[in-house]
Amino acid sequence: MPDWNAEVKARLAGLNLSPEREIEITEELSQHLQDRYEQELSRGATEEEAQRALLEELNAPELLGRELKQVERRVPQNPVVMGTDTRTSIIGDITQDLRYGLRMLWKNPGFTIVAVLALALGIGANSAIFSVVNTVLLQPLPYKNPRQLVMLWENATHLGFPKDTPSPANFLDWRGQNTVFTGMAAMAEKNFNLAGVGEPERLDGRRVSVNLFDVLGVQPRLGRGFLPQEDMPGTHVVILSNDLWQRRFGSDPRIIGQTLNLNDESYSVVGVMPPGVDVPSRDKWKDQLWVPIAFPGDEAQSRGNHYLEVIARMKPGITLKQAQAEMETIAARLAQQYPKTNLRIGTVVTPLHEEVVGDIRPALLVLLGAVGFVLLIACANVANLLLARAAVRQKEIALRLALGASRSRVTRQFLTESVLLAMLGAAVGLIFAVAGLRILKTFIPDTISQADSIGIDAKVLIFTALVALITGLIFGLAPAAQASNFNLNETLNEGGRGAAGGSKGARLRGLLVIAEVAVSFVLLIGAGLLINSFIHLRNLDPGFRTDHLLTAKIDLSEVKYPDQEHRNPFLDEVLRRVRALPGVKSAAIAGNLPLTYNGDSMYIAAEGIPDPPTDQRMDVIYRAIGPGYFSTMGIPLVRGRDFTEQDTTETNYTVVVSEKLAQHFWPGQDPIGKRLKPGDTTSDVPWREVIGVVKDVRQNDFLAAPKMQMYMSYRQLKSLAPNALVVRTGVEPISLATALRNAVWAVDKDQPVSNIDTMEHIVAGAVARQRFSTMLLGIFATLALLLAAVGIYGVMSYSVAQRTREIGIRMALGARRADVLKMTVKHGMKLVVIGVAIGLVAAFVLTRVMASLLFGVSATDPVTFVSIPLVLMGVAMLASYIPALRATKVDPMVALRAQ
């Protein structure tokens, strides 16, 4: 290819131009001649013909004058010199660099597209994950002074409940005795059946202290809040959520003062909350409405029932440590006053934001770090591309330096091109981020707070711009340094082979590949650990069969169905109709199905066994079920029998216990015929005879080991009403949803049927966060592996191209193709082995932060640490083999003639 720079420079030698003017004119004319040269070639001219024609034009007297006039209109008469104090000089300098950088990128579309896409993947992934982190972790809660808000829990660590829900009496004492809070409010979950407005619907709601919204610092968008005098039993007023107001009442502003039928009682609407008011809940309860908590006298005195959630606002100037210390003092005082219930019961004060975020924080921070690693790999790839490009542009750079350009100016030009690339990558990356977020939001667990509001906002745009700027500087430094630091004489020497910077460039490219491999290895190890952990989770036995199981909630109104005489006929008729549906194998009634509720536990006493000390009692989960529940759920009956229709209040009270409970109270004995009861052995509650033992079930927490459990027939419980229906089907369960709903409405048209779902989906939801983290980290690790493979392939391809003459000489001297293949692959694998070794050390350190995300797998799991290197080495071998195979096809004569 002709050296147009040299041709132009030779013809400008006698014009006595300043160095700055001469280099600018040389660049413009050289570019013009190169464009004309390529145009002639495209018209069918040979290289010799095109070069001869252009040289003839260049030698014509009028051409140089004409082109100089055109250049004069584009080149400033007073050249910009960096370091001057004038703002116009700096702006002109930057503008010139940008214009030249854009022209160089436009001139090499293939290089530009590959680099922009690589950066777009890295920057887009960072922007998408940061938008999640920004919404979930960084944005303040939508309340007044949210940092002052805390949640209070009972600390019963000795009983296995480090953060237990408080009892009403303890809450009232906390509120009355503290001096560190401006306000304290309690909440209790409650279901409401809405009737009389379209189809009946079950709504999640809560009984709350009348000062709850004052504590949170929010005001209704319509109407008013609760009044102090409304915190009395029998007061029926309700505040609606914005979602319920819009969805069921069409945003009607006249809703204030209207009466709603809730649980067959009339409630007057006094207010509507603004959007975004999502009152925190331990069970991620989605509040649709709120009513005053209004403790009845007996409930207010209860210290044994633990079901409240408590929010408080700290006084200005009070720290979390001070609030914790005072609450511990109050807890110690209550333990002395009420040793039977409060002995060794402490308190825990946690920031509200921490409760809302939950345990997703470590996972999101790990994912943010993972996409940062992906971006680093993309930067290394682009840096390698720029290094190769800088080597090709050595003659151009040498001429610019020879004509008087400073090395700092050349460095700045390269950095400008890098930043331009990064900005283009950011623009495309934002498009990727928007599209990715739409997909990502479909996989985000429902339990993640404010998931619906995740999106691209000003903070994400600023973050993306900063990432692009920093990224451009990072991957541009190495090429800029190489381009401006080589031997000028060797480069300008026609006999030189570009050795200037060649060995340095090769070392830099090798180091970048090693870094890519190391970072990819760490990501792959992390993904491997999470995948291995998730496999362990999926293989956990929940204690029942999840397939072909349909579930539904049928919370009964306490007014319409106040006792067994009213409930049982309704439930019996519903069961009869459901069991008669085509495709139904069996059906049963239950209260709170596994993995749908975290409450319902009590102390129990076993006959013949002394009561343990108060602080050593063990909580037992209890469930009210009907006959056929165990067979329908697929819970194995280990010994004894199931409940029957004859187990009623007219017969002996019976109970079925779990294996863990039986082993705890009667180790090595047959538990059938033994007796137990709630509370102490001296309580007035009747004894219950153990009639069966079933397998342990994961009731409340899928990840935790099953706790002791017992089951009682709902026909023998006067106050505890069942609220769920479970159906074993022979067809796709969800296909029976409509028929199931119609069967219930045929018995009572006003009875809501809600939460119709399959048990497989419920179990999958129990590990949704783990699936979310595993899926994303797996995607990022795969992307990192592909980018690393591309990087290895690119470096090896460039190495083969640069060593074509060497390979030709070797083959001319008798080297076999197998030797050339081995030599080339060995060079690539050497870099990979070094990268894996560095990554192995880094992985041992960095995976420690993932320990809280793992289940059943250690952070140094040997299977993962053995298998991942094999996968990475295999991919790297393939990436090195393809260029190596190309090297074996080099024709020695062609290679030697080309040099």
Side-chain angles (χ1 to χ4, degrees):
M1 181 179 295
D3 188 348
W4 300 115
N5 282 329
E7 297 288 350
V8 173
K9 181 187 174 187
R11 288 159 177 79
L12 294 177
L15 299 181
N16 296 319
L17 298 173
S18 67
E20 292 84 0
R21 292 283 301 285
E22 184 172 345
I23 190 170
E24 294 294 344
I25 294 171
T26 301
E27 288 178 0
E28 293 289 346
L29 289 178
S30 298
Q31 183 63 49
H32 167 77
L33 292 170
Q34 179 63 30
D35 292 341
R36 286 288 312 280
Y37 178 75
E38 293 175 356
Q39 185 179 13
E40 292 295 328
L41 292 179
S42 66
R43 292 175 177 174
T46 65
E47 293 183 359
E48 291 78 6
E49 291 171 346
Q51 183 175 357
R52 184 169 57 253
L54 289 177
L55 286 176
E56 290 176 357
E57 289 186 18
L58 185 61
N59 291 329
E62 68 275 6
L63 176 68
L64 190 59
R66 185 175 67 249
E67 293 300 327
L68 280 175
K69 290 180 181 179
Q70 293 180 2
V71 171
E72 287 298 313
R73 289 197 293 267
R74 291 191 293 265
V75 178
Q77 294 301 310
N78 296 314
V80 176
V81 179
M82 287 302 288
T84 61
D85 295 331
T86 61
R87 181 175 301 177
T88 55
S89 295
I90 297 176
I91 294 175
D93 202 32
I94 294 175
T95 302
Q96 184 178 346
D97 287 344
L98 289 173
R99 186 175 65 247
Y100 185 77
L102 285 171
R103 188 169 66 242
M104 295 304 295
L105 295 179
W106 180 260
K107 183 181 174 183
N108 298 275
F111 160 80
T112 303
I113 291 172
V114 171
V116 167
L117 285 178
L119 292 172
L121 288 173
I123 295 175
N126 273 270
S127 297
I129 295 301
F130 178 77
S131 65
V132 178
V133 171
N134 175 50
T135 301
V136 177
L137 300 185
L138 303 182
Q139 284 188 1
L141 297 175
Y143 308 121
K144 179 182 178 182
N145 297 326
R147 293 182 180 275
Q148 296 177 347
L149 293 172
V150 296
M151 292 196 76
L152 308 179
W153 308 95
E154 291 184 2
N155 184 353
T157 304
H158 62 289
L159 300 178
F161 298 94
K163 290 171 65 175
D164 196 11
T165 48
S167 64
N170 285 345
F171 158 70
L172 294 174
D173 284 333
W174 290 354
R175 188 174 66 179
Q177 297 182 29
N178 86 85
T179 61
V180 293
F181 301 114
T182 59
M184 186 183 296
M187 306 174 292
E189 296 172 356
K190 183 176 177 64
N191 295 316
F192 293 89
N193 293 338
L194 174 64
V197 184
E199 287 187 354
E201 181 182 0
R202 173 187 173 273
L203 301 174
D204 288 344
R206 269 192 279 192
R207 301 162 56 208
V208 300
S209 299
V210 293
N211 67 329
L212 171 66
F213 298 111
D214 292 331
V215 171
L216 292 175
V218 293
Q219 297 297 321
R221 67 177 300 174
L222 288 179
R224 61 172 177 82
F226 296 125
L227 302 176
Q229 58 267 31
E230 290 172 338
D231 195 13
M232 298 288 292
T235 304
H236 287 176
V237 291
V238 61
I239 294 177
L240 307 181
S241 69
N242 186 75
D243 175 69
L244 179 63
W245 176 57
Q246 292 181 335
R247 181 171 53 85
R248 289 302 297 261
F249 304 101
S251 303
D252 185 0
R254 296 170 298 178
I255 190 68
I256 303 300
Q258 291 187 21
T259 300
L260 302 183
N261 185 340
L262 298 172
N263 292 344
D264 291 301
E265 293 183 306
S266 295
Y267 281 76
S268 176
V269 179
V270 298
V272 176
M273 277 292 142
V277 176
D278 186 13
V279 180
S281 169
R282 193 177 195 181
D283 297 326
K284 304 305 177 184
W285 197 259
K286 298 296 183 182
D287 291 345
Q288 295 289 297
L289 53 86
W290 300 271
V291 301
I293 198 163
F295 292 121
D298 55 342
E299 187 179 13
Q301 300 300 317
S302 173
R303 295 188 187 274
N305 290 328
H306 303 266
Y307 60 89
L308 296 179
E309 292 174 285
V310 177
I311 291 180
R313 179 177 290 277
M314 295 187 296
K315 292 180 178 179
I318 297 296
T319 65
L320 188 69
K321 186 176 181 180
Q322 290 172 319
Q324 178 68 57
E326 172 149 316
M327 292 307 299
E328 286 290 356
T329 301
I330 296 174
R333 191 183 304 141
L334 295 178
Q336 293 180 343
Q337 291 179 297
Y338 309 101
K340 188 174 182 179
T341 56
N342 287 54
L343 189 63
R344 292 181 65 184
I345 301 297
T347 57
V348 178
V349 182
T350 57
L352 180 60
H353 188 269
E354 183 178 310
E355 293 291 338
V356 171
V357 170
D359 57 0
I360 196 65
R361 180 190 297 272
L364 288 181
L365 294 180
V366 167
L367 291 175
L368 190 60
V371 293
F373 281 173
V374 171
L375 183 57
L376 287 177
I377 296 173
C379 288
N381 269 347
V382 176
N384 262 325
L385 289 173
L386 289 174
L387 283 170
R389 190 161 169 263
V392 173
R393 295 172 63 184
Q394 281 186 4
K395 271 250 166 91
E396 168 205 338
I397 299 164
L399 284 173
R400 295 182 69 182
L401 292 172
L403 292 173
S406 66
R407 292 182 183 268
S408 63
R409 179 64 185 271
V410 173
T411 300
R412 191 177 69 251
Q413 179 61 54
F414 271 81
L415 289 177
T416 300
E417 293 178 22
S418 301
V419 172
L420 276 173
L421 269 179
M423 289 302 175
L424 290 173
V428 179
L430 276 176
I431 298 175
F432 288 172
V434 172
L437 274 179
R438 292 179 180 176
I439 301 172
L440 184 63
K441 289 172 75 171
T442 63
F443 294 97
I444 293 178
D446 295 335
T447 53
I448 294 182
S449 66
Q450 305 181 43
D452 295 337
S453 60
I454 293 174
I456 305 296
D457 59 11
K459 285 184 180 179
V460 177
L461 292 176
I462 293 173
F463 171 82
T464 303
L466 289 175
V467 167
L469 179 61
I470 296 171
T471 297
L473 295 175
I474 288 175
F475 70 72
L477 282 175
Q482 181 195 359
S484 61
N485 288 281
F486 54 80
N487 190 299
L488 189 60
N489 292 328
E490 287 186 7
T491 304
L492 292 174
N493 184 355
E494 290 294 335
R497 294 170 33 225
S503 58
K504 286 185 178 180
R507 284 196 297 272
L508 274 175
R509 288 187 288 274
L511 290 174
L512 287 172
V513 168
I514 290 172
E516 288 186 60
V517 172
V519 173
S520 300
F521 183 82
V522 174
L523 278 183
L524 287 168
I525 287 291
L529 290 173
L530 282 184
I531 292 171
N532 201 355
S533 174
F534 189 71
I535 291 173
H536 276 77
L537 278 178
R538 294 296 291 166
N539 290 335
L540 280 180
D541 183 7
F544 54 86
R545 284 177 50 203
T546 62
D547 63 292
H548 293 86
L549 208 55
L550 185 67
T551 67
K553 295 283 283 184
I554 47 171
D555 289 280
L556 302 180
S557 166
E558 296 175 0
V559 175
K560 195 171 187 178
Y561 301 102
D563 50 36
Q564 286 190 348
E565 285 71 21
H566 293 82
R567 290 194 298 264
N568 290 352
F570 168 81
L571 296 174
D572 291 343
E573 181 61 18
V574 167
L575 275 179
R576 187 188 68 79
R577 290 176 177 272
V578 171
R579 286 168 177 167
L581 293 175
V584 172
K585 290 186 175 181
S586 63
I589 295 294
N592 296 321
L593 296 172
L595 306 178
T596 64
Y597 183 67
N598 287 333
D600 289 348
S601 63
M602 63 172 66
Y603 304 135
I604 65 170
E607 188 177 36
I609 300 177
D611 292 329
T614 302
D615 59 347
Q616 296 180 18
R617 294 178 177 179
M618 300 296 292
D619 250 11
V620 175
I621 297 171
Y622 64 91
R623 293 289 184 263
I625 65 172
Y629 172 78
F630 296 124
S631 59
T632 300
M633 285 289 295
I635 301 174
L637 187 66
V638 179
R639 61 176 64 191
R641 67 172 178 86
D642 191 0
F643 296 113
T644 65
E645 302 292 343
Q646 285 68 46
D647 292 310
T648 66
T649 54
E650 305 300 323
T651 62
N652 290 334
Y653 287 119
T654 56
V655 65
V656 174
V657 300
S658 65
E659 288 182 298
K660 190 169 187 177
L661 187 149
Q663 179 63 27
H664 176 80
F665 284 101
W666 306 289
Q669 304 178 44
D670 185 358
I672 304 300
K674 304 291 186 181
R675 298 203 303 171
L676 54 78
K677 65 178 178 179
D680 300 330
T681 54
T682 58
S683 69
D684 296 333
V685 181
W687 291 98
R688 290 181 174 273
E689 180 183 347
V690 177
I691 62 170
V693 179
V694 294
K695 187 175 180 178
D696 293 327
V697 173
R698 297 180 187 272
Q699 291 282 359
N700 296 346
D701 187 347
F702 189 75
L703 305 184
K707 294 186 177 183
M708 294 189 291
Q709 302 154 44
M710 67 179 186
Y711 303 86
M712 297 170 283
S713 173
Y714 73 85
R715 295 178 177 273
Q716 293 184 334
L717 296 169
K718 295 182 179 180
S719 59
L720 192 61
N723 61 6
L725 184 64
V726 57
V727 182
R728 175 73 60 182
T729 71
V731 296
E732 179 61 31
I734 207 67
S735 66
L736 295 176
T738 301
L740 176 65
R741 186 180 287 110
N742 290 335
V744 175
W745 287 347
V747 183
D748 184 349
K749 63 180 179 62
D750 293 327
Q751 175 58 46
V753 183
S754 62
N755 294 23
I756 298 179
D757 202 354
T758 65
M759 187 54 73
E760 286 182 330
H761 186 258
I762 291 173
V763 173
V767 293
R769 291 193 176 189
Q770 290 77 10
R771 182 188 298 105
F772 175 72
S773 303
T774 302
M775 179 191 70
L776 284 186
L777 193 57
I779 291 173
F780 297 147
T782 303
L783 181 59
L785 180 62
L786 292 175
L787 287 174
V790 169
I792 296 169
Y793 173 83
V795 167
M796 296 309 301
S797 294
Y798 182 79
S799 175
V800 168
Q802 292 294 98
R803 299 173 68 184
T804 299
R805 184 170 182 272
E806 174 195 341
I807 293 171
I809 293 174
R810 287 177 179 270
M811 298 186 71
L813 294 176
R816 296 175 301 171
R817 294 183 183 274
D819 295 332
V820 174
L821 183 68
K822 180 180 179 181
M823 175 191 70
T824 309
V825 172
K826 181 179 178 181
H827 173 63
M829 294 307 296
K830 178 182 178 181
L831 301 177
V832 174
V833 169
I834 296 173
V836 168
I838 295 173
L840 189 65
V841 176
F844 268 111
V845 176
L846 294 178
T847 52
R848 308 283 180 177
V849 303
M850 296 179 57
S852 63
L853 305 178
L854 303 178
F855 180 88
V857 176
S858 71
T860 56
D861 177 53
V863 174
T864 304
F865 274 81
V866 169
S867 59
I868 292 301
L870 296 178
V871 172
L872 184 55
M873 298 283 278
V875 172
M877 177 74 76
L878 180 62
S880 300
Y881 178 78
I882 297 175
L885 191 63
R886 190 183 305 125
T888 63
K889 298 178 181 179
V890 170
D891 188 324
M893 296 305 297
V894 173
L896 293 173
R897 189 182 303 119
Q899 295 296 325

